[in-house]
Amino acid sequence: MTETLLHLTPRGLYCPPGDFFIDPWQPVSRAVITHAHSDHARPGMRAYLTTHEGQAVLRGRLGPDAAIQTLAYGEPLGLNGVELSLYPAGHMLGAAQVRVAYRGEVWVVSGDYKTETDPTCAPFEPVRCHTFVTEATFGLPIYRWRPQAEVLAAIHTWWRANQDAGRASLLFGYALGKAQRLLAGLDPAIGPIFCHGAVERFNGIYRAAGIALPPTAYTGAATREVDWSRALIIAPPSAQASAWMRRFGEVSTAFASGWMRIRGARRRRGVDRGFVLSDHADWPGLLGAIAATGAERVWVTHGYSAVLARWLTEQGLDARPITTPFEGEQGAATGEEE
Amino acid sequence: MRALAELYAALDETTRTSEKVAALARYFAAAPPADAAWALYFLSGRKPRQVIGSRRLSEWAIDAAGVPAWLFGECYDAVGDLAETVALLLADTPSAVAAGEPASLSFWIEERLLPLREADEATQRAAVLQAWSELDQPRRFLWNKLITGGFRVGVSQRLVVRALAQVSGVEDTVIAHRLMGDWAPSADWYRGLFVSQRADADVSRPYPFFLAHSLEDDPASLGTLEEWQAEWKWDGIRAQLIRRAGQSFLWSRGEELITERFPELAEAAARLPDGTVLDGEVLPFRDGVVLPFGQLQRRIGRKQLTRKILAEVPVALFAYDLLEVEGRDLRGAPLRERRARLEQILDSGDDAIRISPLVSGSTWDELAAARERSREVNAEGLMLKRRASPYRVGRVRGDWWKWKVAPYTVDAVLIYARRGSGKRASLYTDYTFGVWAGDTLVPFARAYSGLTDAEIREVDAFVRRNTVEQFGPVRTVRPELVFELAFEGLQPSTRHKAGIAVRFPRILRWRRDKPPREADTLEIVRAMLREG
C-alpha cells in the first residue's frame, strides 16, 4: 500500500511531508488542534496550532505554558511544501476543519462538526477535497435534529413550568461549548441563570472572545437568600446525583444532548427531561457535509464509524472506518463527549 | 391523538406520582369520552389483538425510509423498541409538521387501525404508510404503539383511578370496581364510569384497612396479657372479602379488586350470609398446611390461572376480623365481640375461608416462645391486638402491633454460578455462596432471587469474565463478590458440606462495600444454629 498524505500512527493522525499531527493522543513535537475538547486537545505537545478564535479556550485547557500558534480561518501556512489551513467546523468556539494540500492532493480532517448554526461560533464551511476524514458520533438515520429554536423554546417552557411548581431547573450539558451555546439562546428575562464552576470558567473565556452571553452567576458564590426555584442552573453531566445538587432543594433535571433523541437513553440517564441538542451533525448533516466536500475517499473516525462507512461504500464511495481514541459511542453512556 | 401523545410524553418525563396523576387528570378532563375510553383501555394494559405483525411493519419502514435492512437493524439495536425505531427513522413530512387540529384518537383506532385487521397486505401497507406520512414523530410513535400493542408508560391502575376520581368527583373505589373485568371502550361506557346511582357502587365498596405498627419495645410494656389477643402474623395477601346483594368481592390492600384471581375464594364466599365483610389474609394452603409465600407468588405472577396451578397452589382466606354483619358496620364494636361473631359465622369449617387461629400463652414469655415457632407454620411472627379496640382506619399506633421474628442474615461470597431457566435462561442467576472456614470458602447456601435485573446482568458479566473452572453447567468463579443473604431457619444437616441446611435463603443485597475476606465465617453461622 502506498503511503497516503495522512496516515494513522500509534500517536495519532500524521502528515509525513509536513511533519505534524492532527489531534494526537500522545506527545509529539507539532500538533494541529481541531478544537479544545479534552479528547482532541491533549496536554504534553511541544507546539500547538489552532485558530485565533480557539486560542483562549485551548489555553484554558492547557495552561499558561503551552506553546500555541494561531491562524485565521482560511489563512494558509506552508510547512515543507505542504499547505495547511483551517476552516470553521461549527462545533464550538474556534473549532476547525484542517485542510492539508500537497502536490495537488487535498485532504480535510473534520474534527467534530455540526452543520446547524450556533451563535457562539463560526458556521460549518464545506471544503472541497479528495479525501475527507469525518466523525460519525450520530451516524445512524434515527438521529435527526429539530431546529435549535424549537429546542430552546421547549427549554424555556420547562423552566417556566418549574418556576410555577416551585422548583429549580437544573440543566446538564457539556461544560465547554454546549453550555455556552445553551446560554446564548436562553432568555434571561425568565429568571436568574446560574452556572457550575466548570461552566462559569469557560463563560469568562467566551465573553472575553466577544461572544455575547446573558448574565450568569457562579453557584458557589450564591448567598443563602437565593430563591433557586426561579433559577436555571447549568452544570456538567458529572455533577448529576452529586452532593453539589442538594443546595438547590427541589429540582427538575434535564440533559441537553443528541443522545436524548432516544427514550431509553434518557431513562438510563435518570433525568426528568431530555432536550435533543447536539454539537455534532445528525445523519442528514453528516451525509450533506460529506457530499459537499466532493470527496471520493472518506475515512470515518469515531462514533458509528463502521455503519457510516458501510453506508458510504454502498453509495459508491471509497470509505472505511479508522480507529482513534476520540470518544464516540462511549458517550452514549456518559454523554460527556459533546 | 395529539393529546394522548402529549400525555404519553408527560407521563414519560416524570417519576413524581403527583405529576403523573395531574397529567392524567388534565387529559381526562379535556378528552372527548370516546377518546378517553380508548386511552383508558390502553392505559389499563388492555390491547386489541395485534393488527399487523412486527416483521411486516419493519419491512414497510425499511421501504419508507429508503434504508437497507442492515441499517434498519443497526437502528433497532440502538433504540431497542420497534415502534420507536420506526418513528425516529422516518423524517417528518411537511404535511405532518403543518397538520392542524388532528383527528380524534377514536377515529384513528376505529376508522384507521381496526379495519385493517380484515384487509389484505397491500391495503394494510398503503394505509400504514399513509398514516406515517400524515403524523409527526410523537404521534407516529403512538400510532406504532397502537399497532404493536405495547403501550407501557409506567402508570399503575391506581394512578389512573385516582386521576379519574379527581376529575369526576366519584369515589376511587367505585371507579376501580367499574374498570374491572371485560369491557368495550366506548363513549357510553366511559360516561357510565361516573354515574352516581349505579347499583353496584355501594355493594362492592371495601372499608379502609386497619394497619399495624411494628413492636420495637418489650411486649411487657403493653400491659397485662389479658387485654391482648395474639394471632400469627401471616405472610400472604391482606384482603377484604365482601359478600353483599348476592355478589362477592375480594379487595387487596392496594384496593385492587382481585376476586377473579382467586376463584376458590369467590366460590366459598357465596356460602357466606349476605351483608358480610371479612378482613384476613389470602394464603397458599394445601393439605391443612400454610405454604411459603413463594408458592403464592407463582400464582400471582400468572395471567392465566391454569387448572394445574390451581391444584398445586390452592389458597385459603385466613379471616381475623369481621367488619360487617347482616349489612351492619361492626367496626365500632370491640375486637372481642367482633371475634366472637366471626367465630359464629365461620363455624362451618369451610376449607377456603377459615378463621385465623389464636395463639395462646399465659405469660408474655410463653407468647415469646410461641413466636419463636412462627417459622414452623410459615408465619412471620405474631400479631398482638387489643381486645377492647375498635377496627380503626389506616396505620394507627396503639391497638395493633406486629411482633415479627427477625430473619437470619449472613454475608457470604459467591463461589459457584449456573444458568437460570425460563426468562433467565441465558443468564447466570443461580448462585452458590460460601462462608469462611479458615482459609477456604465452604458452600453454604444456594439462592436465586433478590437482585434487580441490572444487578443480575452485572453479576452475569462478572461470572463470564471470572470463571476459574467449569464443571458441567456449573462455573467456579473468583471469590470476589459478597452478598448479604437472609434465611428463615437453620437445621443441622449431614448432607451439606457446611453441616447446616438453610431454609428459604435469598439475597438481601449486594455488599459492594465488603471485601470477600470480611464475609462471615462458618463459626458465626454455627453460633446462630445454637441460638435458634
Side-chain angles (χ1 to χ4, degrees), chain A residues 81-129:
Chain A
V82 174
E83 187 190 280
L84 184 153
S85 47
L86 304 174
Y87 292 86
H91 180 61
M92 55 168 280
L93 180 61
Q97 308 175 70
V98 181
R99 180 181 184 273
V100 180
Y102 184 64
R103 295 178 182 166
E105 189 186 352
V106 180
W107 285 58
V108 170
V109 179
S110 76
D112 291 341
Y113 66 98
K114 70 171 173 290
T115 49
E116 249 184 320
T117 57
D118 173 345
T120 64
C121 64
F124 176 85
E125 197 179 312
V127 181
R128 303 287 295 179
C129 58

Side-chain angles (χ1 to χ4, degrees), chain B residues 107-127:
Chain B
F107 172 83
W108 275 99
I109 294 171
E110 290 165 17
E111 306 296 325
R112 301 286 298 263
L113 178 62
L114 296 182
L116 296 181
R117 192 176 284 157
E118 316 302 332
D120 58 36
E121 189 181 336
T123 312
Q124 287 183 341
R125 183 179 185 282

Side-chain angles (χ1 to χ4, degrees), chain B residues 50-65 72 81-87 89-90 113 116 121 124-125 127-129 131-132 140-150:
Chain B
Q50 188 163 350
V51 175
I52 293 158
S54 301
R55 229 187 62 204
R56 279 186 186 176
L57 217 53
S58 305
E59 285 169 12
W60 302 341
I62 285 167
D63 290 350
F72 182 85
D81 176 278
L82 179 62
E84 189 181 352
T85 305
V86 173
L89 190 56
L90 301 171
L113 178 62
L116 296 181
E121 189 181 336
Q124 287 183 341
R125 183 179 185 282
V128 168
L129 261 60
W132 282 339
R140 205 158 52 228
F141 173 58
L142 193 60
W143 166 250
N144 294 342
K145 281 286 179 198
L146 296 179
I147 294 175
T148 57

Side-chain angles (χ1 to χ4, degrees), chain B residues 94-348:
Chain B
S95 68
V97 177
E101 193 52 34
S104 68
L105 177 66
S106 53
F107 172 83
W108 275 99
I109 294 171
E110 290 165 17
E111 306 296 325
R112 301 286 298 263
L113 178 62
L114 296 182
L116 296 181
R117 192 176 284 157
E118 316 302 332
D120 58 36
E121 189 181 336
T123 312
Q124 287 183 341
R125 183 179 185 282
V128 168
L129 261 60
Q130 174 62 27
W132 282 339
S133 75
E134 284 174 45
L135 299 170
D136 60 6
Q137 187 230 313
R139 288 183 299 149
R140 205 158 52 228
F141 173 58
L142 193 60
W143 166 250
N144 294 342
K145 281 286 179 198
L146 296 179
I147 294 175
T148 57
F151 197 95
R152 295 174 55 157
V153 69
V155 283
S156 66
Q157 178 99 340
R158 272 182 82 184
L159 297 191
V160 176
V161 167
R162 203 188 294 175
L164 288 169
Q166 221 173 73
V167 169
S168 65
V170 175
E171 267 192 63
D172 46 6
T173 52
V174 175
I175 291 172
H177 177 224
R178 288 173 179 175
L179 282 178
M180 296 302 298
D182 240 358
W183 43 263
S186 71
D188 283 345
W189 170 84
Y190 181 75
R191 289 192 197 96
L193 280 179
F194 311 117
V195 174
S196 56
Q197 64 278 28
R198 242 163 69 166
D200 61 15
D202 292 322
V203 169
S204 72
R205 191 175 308 161
Y207 293 104
F209 285 82
F210 182 17
L211 307 172
H213 272 277
S214 286
L215 183 67
E216 315 288 351
D217 300 332
D218 188 328
S221 66
L222 297 178
T224 62
L225 187 56
E226 286 67 40
E227 291 177 34
W228 296 87
Q229 159 185 319
E231 307 161 9
W232 295 116
K233 160 84 183 78
W234 297 114
D235 184 13
I237 299 173
R238 178 83 183 272
Q240 212 173 106
L241 182 61
I242 295 173
R243 179 70 186 173
R244 289 180 190 135
Q247 290 175 271
S248 307
F249 307 94
L250 186 68
W251 291 88
S252 74
R253 216 193 84 192
E255 285 180 36
E256 213 181 323
L257 202 47
I258 52 174
T259 326
E260 290 165 10
R261 315 290 309 152
F262 301 103
E264 56 266 71
L265 297 183
E267 192 202 316
R271 294 190 289 276
L272 288 172
D274 220 59
T276 302
V277 178
L278 304 177
D279 181 14
E281 198 97 356
V282 177
L283 294 169
F285 183 71
R286 195 178 60 209
D287 305 329
V289 179
V290 173
L291 306 174
F293 184 67
Q295 294 294 313
L296 190 55
Q297 274 176 320
R298 289 176 55 208
R299 243 182 97 154
I300 301 167
R302 284 175 191 242
K303 268 261 177 289
Q304 289 291 326
L305 284 174
T306 58
R307 195 166 299 174
K308 183 162 171 287
I309 194 78
L310 287 173
E312 281 176 9
V313 191
V315 298
L317 178 77
F318 277 56
Y320 38 67
D321 219 321
L322 180 67
L323 311 186
E324 185 176 306
V325 68
E326 292 159 5
R328 192 166 53 85
D329 184 348
L330 199 62
R331 292 178 299 159
L335 173 62
R336 71 168 69 80
E337 187 185 327
R338 301 200 307 274
R339 176 83 194 184
R341 299 293 298 266
L342 180 67
E343 284 172 3
Q344 286 169 11
I345 287 175
L346 297 182
D347 195 25
S348 58

